[in-house]
Amino acid sequence: MSQSEPATLEEDRDDRITEPHEVVLSTESRAVQKMGTHQLIPKTLASRPKNRYHTTVVTFPVRLEKSSGDSSGESHSRHSAQVPDVPWEDYDSDGDGCDLRRNRRNRSYRAAVTSLDVEAMMGAERAPVKTLKPVNEVRASSPGPSHTVGRKFTTRTLGRKKDHRGSFKDATPCLYQEMRERGLHSTNQDELLDDFVVVETPVEDQGIVVKNYKPAQLTWSQLPQVKNSDILSRITPQERKRQEAIFEIICSEHSYLHSLGILVRHFKESKTLSKTMAPTEHHHLFSNISVILKVSQRFFEDLERRHQEDVVIRDISDIIQNHAAHHFEPYIAYCSNETFQQRTHQKLLNTNSAFKEALKQLESSSECGGLPMFSFLILPMQRVTRLPLLLDTICQKTPENTAEYFAAVWALHAMSKLVTSCNDGARRMERTEQMYTIQKQMDFGKIKPFPLVSSSRWLKKRGELNISAEELSIWRAFTNRSYYLFLFNDVLIVTKKKTEEIFVVLDYATLENVEVEYVMETDGQMSSPTKSTPLTFKLLMTKNSDGRSEQISLVADSRVDRARWIIALTEHKQANATCTEGLPQYEATKSYIPKEPDEIGLRQAELVLVMKKEEAWCYAERMRDGERGWFPASCATEITNPTAMESNVQQMKRLRKETNV
């Protein structure tokens, strides 16, 4: 190869990085000829290239706004035909021309670009170029939207046939894990709905066939029977937003049903996987998921039937209320099994190599999108907690003092009652089993035994704390230098660890007889911790197991550990006195499964009020149910939009009113 050829390759590479020029997706285009037979990326999945990303993968720029020369004399409309039909979740928050919260690319786009063979692309200059031939789409089959030459518009139809008036039967939905429901977001819902533009797709160059990509999430305004009629001009903007909210519940249920089917068909009914575990473990892992699948099928069939009656959906609140009150009871049993499910799953992964290998093979299948089985197992818990939030969006978009509004409120009440039962069932099973285990580990010796097992008692925090030097007498220095505390919602038990499974009880007192004394940290101590940093606190038991007064001085390992113990010991006195107004709001950017009793679980897009921050941890209150606990600060980002914050507060008040929190 001559030296001029490498120089040409370097120049081409630099051009692709530094010049985000328009590229026409065509079977005769220069881009296609360079790539040979490699897969093309649809323009609707592309994003604006940024200078900070230097990559050999070509990204096609998408113009989000008109050129500066077109701005004079005309208003910049969101619904301009210059804007491509791209879902708002594909945009980056730091790109020009948009103001959205997240700067994460669409998963389907990431999957598309990672499937390209970069080395083959770079070697395309050295190998003979294979030119793609135009394809007659009348004969060729493609999973993408069909295009007919000569028509003024083309549209995504979720795979629907024309004679199926809005039917989902021929649709191929995305996985529920990859679906992002707009009704769950903390940003202004009106602004989000305004971002759904209805545009006509160009008809030039109809010979492109693109395989293995996921179309953008469809909205009600993009339905063919809506776009091809004058419905949008006849209804009010508020009614359009209500229709979008209703349609989102139907679409998300379709996606949820699709993912449940994969869980049952691909994982639960896998003979290879079931052979690696005992029948009891199989039951703990999958519980009654087959029943949940049938319940979801009946629910979706009723929703789809209502959708087929009229393109302008009258209401679905009565359907949701009926199913929540009479058919969703299996969700309570499934959620109650959550503790056994998580423990069994973790145990099998840690101790059963055959199970781990079989599961790895199943998870690598394209049928489940390469997602882990556990992401499918938690879907029922996610769905049942998201439905009240989606219903609340319908309530907001429905005019008050109408029959539809009262029906939506009634459905919200029924769903919230179901969620409360699911949460109570999960907690009750976990707490009862935990109390039996701790009771067996306690050695009361000469101390008067305390009956731990009770349906109204649960563990709040446990852990080892050092004894303060001022209390460490000569005889204690030779016996034990630390205490192991068990803090329950109504009693504190002080023990010393004998073995990993046995704890000798030294004393105990009910929480009403426990006082905590501690020194508040100054700003200087918080910024530069030294040996003088107060990590100590005192426990004063005004009435211990013998009815006497006892004081213990303890030392925590860190500021976070100290803060967590102090809050756990005092929150029962401050729970009703704490004011939540003005507290910063955070939105979970990823799920978090609690690992300690004083932590709270978060699901993606969960909203919390942060009451205290200590190093890399936050103590917060979940806005939907008032549950409090700690979580890593890296799992959430602060919400700074005042409009969104006020909307979240109003939603919190409505949801808590329905759930009596």
Side-chain angles (χ1 to χ4, degrees):
M1 181 180 288
S2 63
Q3 295 181 355
S4 61
E5 291 178 355
T8 303
L9 285 174
E10 290 295 325
E11 291 174 0
D12 290 346
R13 206 174 306 162
D14 292 339
D15 290 343
R16 285 180 292 188
I17 295 175
T18 59
E19 298 182 8
H21 56 275
E22 291 282 348
V23 178
V24 180
L25 290 177
S26 168
T27 54
E28 303 296 335
S29 70
R30 181 185 175 196
V32 171
Q33 293 175 4
K34 281 189 176 183
M35 289 189 292
T37 59
H38 287 83
Q39 181 187 31
L40 292 178
I41 302 173
K43 189 174 181 180
T44 56
L45 296 181
S47 66
R48 182 189 300 274
K50 300 176 179 58
N51 293 333
R52 64 177 185 274
Y53 298 118
H54 299 284
T55 173
T56 55
V57 178
V58 179
T59 57
F60 298 108
V62 177
R63 294 194 182 276
L64 301 181
E65 48 190 5
K66 294 183 180 180
S67 60
S68 58
D70 297 337
S71 59
S72 60
E74 295 184 7
S75 62
H76 192 79
S77 173
R78 288 176 181 249
H79 301 276
S80 170
Q82 299 292 331
V83 185
D85 193 5
V86 181
W88 59 269
E89 60 261 33
D90 288 351
Y91 298 153
D92 284 353
S93 61
D94 51 353
D96 297 332
C98 49
D99 186 20
L100 296 178
R101 296 175 294 110
R102 301 178 184 272
N103 56 354
R104 296 196 304 274
R105 293 183 178 182
N106 185 287
R107 292 186 180 182
S108 56
Y109 171 68
R110 289 201 302 271
V113 297
T114 54
S115 66
L116 292 176
D117 188 344
V118 178
E119 294 183 1
M121 290 175 60
M122 298 304 301
E125 296 288 340
R126 298 187 294 269
V129 177
K130 297 180 180 180
T131 305
L132 291 176
K133 296 180 180 180
V135 179
N136 185 353
E137 291 202 17
V138 176
R139 294 174 295 173
S141 60
S142 172
S146 59
H147 303 278
T148 304
V149 179
R151 290 184 62 113
K152 292 185 178 181
F153 56 85
T154 56
T155 179
R156 289 184 295 274
T157 62
L158 279 179
R160 299 181 183 124
K161 296 180 181 179
K162 289 184 179 180
D163 55 348
H164 287 174
R165 179 182 174 85
S167 174
F168 286 81
K169 292 181 180 179
D170 298 325
T172 303
C174 67
L175 294 174
Y176 188 63
Q177 296 95 314
E178 298 176 342
M179 188 173 192
R180 200 154 168 237
E181 292 144 314
R182 293 171 294 276
L184 305 179
H185 297 160
S186 60
T187 50
N188 193 317
Q189 295 295 321
D190 293 347
E191 293 179 1
L192 288 179
L193 289 170
D194 287 342
D195 283 336
F196 293 116
V197 295
V198 180
V199 297
E200 295 182 353
T201 308
V203 298
E204 295 83 9
D205 194 32
Q206 300 297 321
I208 303 175
V209 176
V210 181
K211 297 183 178 180
N212 299 326
Y213 80 95
K214 198 169 10 284
Q217 183 176 326
L218 192 70
T219 63
W220 179 79
S221 301
Q222 294 169 335
L223 289 173
Q225 54 267 47
V226 175
K227 293 179 65 175
N228 302 346
S229 64
D230 61 344
I231 292 177
L232 292 177
S233 62
R234 289 190 287 106
I235 64 175
T236 64
Q238 186 74 2
E239 177 60 23
R240 170 177 167 260
K241 295 168 187 176
R242 176 175 172 269
Q243 291 296 319
E244 297 283 9
I246 291 175
F247 187 71
E248 182 173 46
I249 290 184
I250 302 176
C251 283
S252 60
E253 187 65 27
H254 188 214
S255 177
Y256 169 65
L257 178 60
H258 173 62
S259 293
L260 282 185
I262 293 175
L263 174 59
V264 173
R265 180 179 63 256
H266 188 65
F267 291 104
K268 180 179 182 293
E269 297 178 354
S270 171
K271 295 182 180 179
T272 304
L273 189 65
S274 54
K275 289 179 181 178
T276 64
M277 66 184 106
T280 303
E281 293 173 326
H282 190 272
H283 175 71
H284 283 166
L285 199 58
F286 296 104
S287 188
N288 62 336
I289 190 64
S290 297
V291 180
I292 297 288
L293 176 62
K294 294 179 181 178
V295 168
S296 179
Q297 286 174 337
R298 291 195 296 267
F299 180 46
F300 176 71
E301 287 171 0
D302 288 348
L303 292 175
E304 186 184 23
R305 192 177 301 111
R306 182 66 57 85
H307 169 60
Q308 291 176 338
E309 290 176 358
D310 191 356
V311 63
V312 180
I313 307 169
R314 174 174 53 83
D315 195 16
I316 60 171
S317 299
D318 56 326
I319 297 176
I320 298 175
Q321 190 278 330
N322 177 57
H323 280 264
H326 303 104
H327 304 294
F328 281 177
E329 189 174 352
Y331 278 97
I332 300 176
Y334 189 88
C335 293
S336 300
N337 183 61
E338 183 178 9
T339 302
F340 299 103
Q341 183 184 76
Q342 292 179 0
R343 185 180 301 130
T344 301
H345 180 260
Q346 195 61 45
K347 177 185 175 183
L348 289 171
L349 287 177
N350 294 338
T351 62
N352 192 328
S353 58
F355 170 84
K356 188 175 182 179
E357 184 61 29
L359 183 61
K360 183 179 179 180
Q361 293 295 327
L362 291 174
E363 289 178 343
S364 63
S365 170
S366 59
E367 184 172 3
C368 62
L371 295 175
M373 181 182 70
F374 194 75
S375 69
F376 290 87
L377 290 174
I378 64 175
L379 289 180
M381 280 83 78
Q382 291 179 341
R383 183 60 176 171
V384 78
T385 54
R386 289 178 181 179
L387 276 175
L389 301 176
L390 296 174
L391 269 170
D392 181 68
T393 303
I394 294 181
C395 290
Q396 295 179 58
K397 307 308 174 188
T398 304
E400 296 185 3
N401 300 322
T402 61
E404 290 80 6
Y405 177 79
F406 291 115
V409 171
W410 188 242
L412 176 59
H413 177 76
M415 276 305 308
S416 300
K417 185 177 179 181
L418 175 71
V419 172
T420 301
S421 299
C422 290
N423 291 335
D424 291 344
R427 282 196 293 258
R428 184 170 55 252
M429 293 292 290
E430 179 183 9
R431 290 170 177 175
T432 302
E433 185 191 27
Q434 188 180 54
M435 297 309 298
Y436 273 110
T437 302
I438 295 176
Q439 179 78 61
K440 293 178 181 179
Q441 296 175 341
M442 293 290 183
D443 180 6
F444 282 88
K446 297 181 180 180
I447 303 294
K448 181 181 177 182
F450 186 88
L452 281 177
V453 179
S454 171
S455 59
S456 60
R457 181 175 295 118
W458 64 89
L459 182 69
K460 293 180 63 178
K461 188 169 179 60
R462 61 184 291 177
E464 196 166 13
L465 291 166
N466 296 322
I467 300 175
S468 176
E470 63 187 51
E471 189 175 309
L472 195 60
S473 60
I474 296 177
W475 70 272
R476 279 183 174 172
F478 289 99
T479 54
N480 59 296
R481 296 173 176 266
S482 63
Y483 291 132
Y484 198 97
L485 272 57
F486 288 87
L487 177 63
F488 302 93
N489 63 309
D490 60 348
V491 64
L492 172 67
I493 299 181
V494 182
T495 71
K496 68 176 181 179
K497 183 186 291 186
K498 186 175 182 180
T499 66
E500 291 297 325
E501 300 294 332
I502 301 298
F503 301 88
V504 179
V505 178
L506 301 177
D507 208 348
Y508 61 81
T510 57
L511 281 190
E512 60 185 11
N513 295 317
V514 175
E515 300 290 339
V516 183
E517 296 180 1
Y518 58 96
V519 179
M520 297 291 293
E521 291 179 300
T522 63
D523 293 338
Q525 289 171 331
M526 294 178 65
S527 59
S528 58
T530 63
K531 290 184 179 180
S532 61
T533 301
L535 298 179
T536 63
F537 62 97
K538 293 183 179 181
L539 291 180
L540 176 62
M541 294 184 286
T542 57
K543 186 178 181 181
N544 67 353
S545 58
D546 294 333
R548 296 181 290 104
S549 177
E550 184 71 24
Q551 179 175 292
I552 306 174
S553 294
L554 301 170
V555 182
D557 292 333
S558 63
R559 292 205 304 265
V560 175
D561 190 35
R562 177 179 180 267
R564 290 174 69 157
W565 271 109
I566 291 174
I567 287 181
L569 288 161
T570 59
E571 67 177 350
H572 67 284
K573 298 180 180 180
Q574 303 175 356
N576 297 328
T578 304
C579 179
T580 58
E581 292 187 9
L583 292 176
Q585 297 180 13
Y586 279 67
E587 179 182 10
T589 55
K590 57 183 177 182
S591 300
Y592 178 71
I593 299 177
K595 299 174 179 61
E596 297 292 337
D598 63 336
E599 297 176 2
I600 57 170
L602 296 179
R603 297 189 176 101
Q604 192 169 359
E606 187 96 67
L607 300 176
V608 294
L609 295 170
V610 174
M611 309 173 73
K612 183 179 180 63
K613 291 191 69 175
E614 195 69 60
E615 295 180 352
W617 288 83
C618 296
Y619 177 70
E621 177 180 300
R622 269 199 314 242
M623 295 185 71
R624 63 178 169 87
D625 59 5
E627 195 77 19
R628 295 181 180 181
W630 294 83
F631 68 90
S634 59
C635 292
T637 57
E638 186 173 2
I639 301 171
T640 56
N641 187 329
T643 304
M645 294 174 67
E646 178 60 28
S647 176
N648 295 337
V649 171
Q650 296 303 322
Q651 183 186 60
M652 176 185 70
K653 293 178 179 179
R654 288 192 301 271
L655 292 176
R656 293 191 181 184
K657 180 180 178 181
E658 295 301 329
T659 53
N660 298 320
V661 175

